[in-house]
Amino acid sequence: MRISDVARHAGVSPSTVSYVLSGKRSISETTRRRVLDSIDALGYRPHAGARSLASRRSNVLALVVPLREDVHVPVAMRFAVSVVTAARAHDHDVLLLTQGEGPAGLHRVAGSAMVDGIVVMDVETDDARVPVLRSLDLPSVLIGVPADTEGLTCVDLDFAAAGAACVHHLADLGHRDIAFVGQPASVYERRTGFAERTLTGFEAAALECGVRATSHPCDPAGARDLASALVRDRPGLSGLIVHNEASLAPLLDAFADHGRVPPEISVVALGSLPQGAPDLTRVELPAEELGARAVSLLMDRIDDPGRTEVTLLEPRIVPGRSTAPPTG
């Protein structure tokens, strides 16, 4: 089936069909509808290569997902799947970049003309990729928020508000001695934005509520030792906020070995719960919504490169069976 066949069926010129497909010239709604009806009736599908040449678009988006040792892969893949799913709804495929190439990788992809835009994850507070993104003639969206957002489009959960919400939930129940178990130390050392903002929100809310609060980086291998140290050194500890999906299960197991099980020690999880996890009070990580929002914002930027905005999704506490007023 060729474009000339569609033109003949619709009673218009081939150029009119081309203009309807590309949107490069204004066509009356009546003519446009007649062409689209003929396309549907004939089952015409534009050749992808010809369409990309005509529109100067590849119909491919790049997704940058650096898979480091301290990145929890199941969560990263939730974002990747959500971006791929949303991109297909916009008739785009996704090129997945997993190498930690940093700025060089962005230059390489932009110079290849393989993609129409870039979605960037694992954003650091002072991310070296940000100046490059500003300089490229290629639309981009960050899932994450760096310190300087000028000229950028970003979307993320409001992690500072999430950290604060967890503290307020425990403080409202009467807890006055709480601990925050965070990401591995390396995540904070490279100043990863979501982790840093969560900790900032936690500390500010703890000060506001007048509760005793400490924070502890953690990885799965060190979860048991951390639990033992908290039980030993903090006999009055009654509330726990866990912002670490990979360490959540071993941490709860270790507390259980010491006879501290929820809600005898109240636990609030921040992030995605592992499959089979108990019914914990939590702040959900809206990975699917963030991925879809990122793609939608990127498509807007492809159509309007000058459009920039920062979108923060409001966190929501989901009550579970792991929090209650302190027993002591």
Side-chain angles (χ1 to χ4, degrees):
M1 189 64 59
R2 297 172 299 178
I3 201 169
S4 58
D5 299 314
V6 176
R8 188 178 305 109
H9 188 276
V12 299
S13 68
S15 62
T16 298
V17 178
S18 178
Y19 291 141
V20 169
L21 291 171
S22 67
K24 289 184 176 180
R25 181 173 295 183
S26 178
I27 301 294
S28 73
E29 182 58 30
T30 300
T31 301
R32 177 178 172 275
R33 174 47 52 195
R34 191 161 71 246
V35 170
L36 293 177
D37 287 345
S38 293
I39 288 172
D40 289 341
L42 298 175
Y44 173 74
R45 294 291 179 271
H47 184 273
R51 182 177 56 189
S52 65
L53 286 173
S55 65
R56 295 188 178 181
R57 292 187 181 179
S58 65
N59 281 69
V60 177
L61 306 179
L63 173 62
V64 184
V65 190
L67 297 181
R68 312 172 193 266
E69 288 186 1
D70 54 18
V71 169
H72 191 47
V73 174
V75 173
M77 288 302 98
R78 279 184 63 200
F79 279 98
V81 170
S82 68
V83 168
V84 170
T85 302
R88 285 309 311 149
H90 290 276
D91 198 27
H92 277 64
D93 294 312
V94 174
L95 174 66
L96 187 63
L97 305 178
T98 59
Q99 295 179 339
E101 297 177 88
L106 297 178
H107 280 297
R108 179 175 62 82
V109 172
S112 69
M114 289 190 299
V115 302
D116 298 328
I118 306 175
V119 177
V120 178
M121 290 178 52
D122 197 39
V123 178
E124 298 172 7
T125 301
D126 298 312
D127 202 302
R129 298 170 296 181
V130 165
V132 177
L133 291 172
R134 290 196 182 103
S135 70
L136 295 178
D137 186 23
L138 188 66
S140 62
V141 170
L142 288 74
I143 300 180
V145 184
D148 182 4
T149 60
E150 183 179 356
L152 302 175
T153 295
C154 310
V155 61
D156 207 357
L157 178 68
D158 189 339
F159 278 98
C166 295
V167 174
H168 283 290
H169 178 77
L170 292 175
D172 289 346
L173 288 172
H175 295 276
R176 290 296 175 264
D177 193 343
I178 64 177
F180 177 90
V181 177
Q183 299 288 309
S186 56
V187 174
Y188 298 101
E189 289 166 3
R190 68 171 185 268
R191 300 197 66 196
T192 304
F194 78 88
E196 196 168 79
R197 287 184 286 125
T198 305
L199 185 56
T200 298
F202 164 80
E203 292 174 340
L207 185 63
E208 176 189 346
C209 294
V211 302
R212 181 188 181 191
T214 56
S215 60
H216 311 268
C218 184
D219 57 61
R224 183 165 294 276
D225 288 341
L226 175 59
S228 297
L230 288 172
V231 170
R232 180 187 67 241
D233 301 335
R234 303 275 294 279
L237 181 70
S238 63
L240 197 64
I241 299 169
V242 184
H243 185 206
N244 187 322
E245 292 92 345
S247 297
L248 180 61
L251 190 73
L252 294 180
D253 288 344
F255 269 99
D257 289 344
H258 290 281
R260 307 291 303 278
V261 297
E264 190 270 330
I265 181 168
S266 284
V267 177
V268 181
L270 203 168
S272 303
L273 294 183
Q275 189 171 11
D279 180 22
L280 302 178
T281 298
R282 61 202 180 275
V283 173
E284 296 277 9
L285 178 64
E288 288 74 21
E289 182 177 359
L290 287 170
R293 288 279 193 106
V295 171
S296 179
L297 288 168
L298 184 55
M299 300 310 298
D300 289 343
R301 286 212 69 184
I302 290 171
D303 293 332
D304 181 8
R307 177 176 178 175
T308 62
E309 59 184 281
V310 176
T311 302
L312 294 178
L313 304 187
E314 184 179 354
R316 183 172 66 92
I317 290 279
V318 180
R321 297 180 181 178
S322 62
T323 52
T327 56

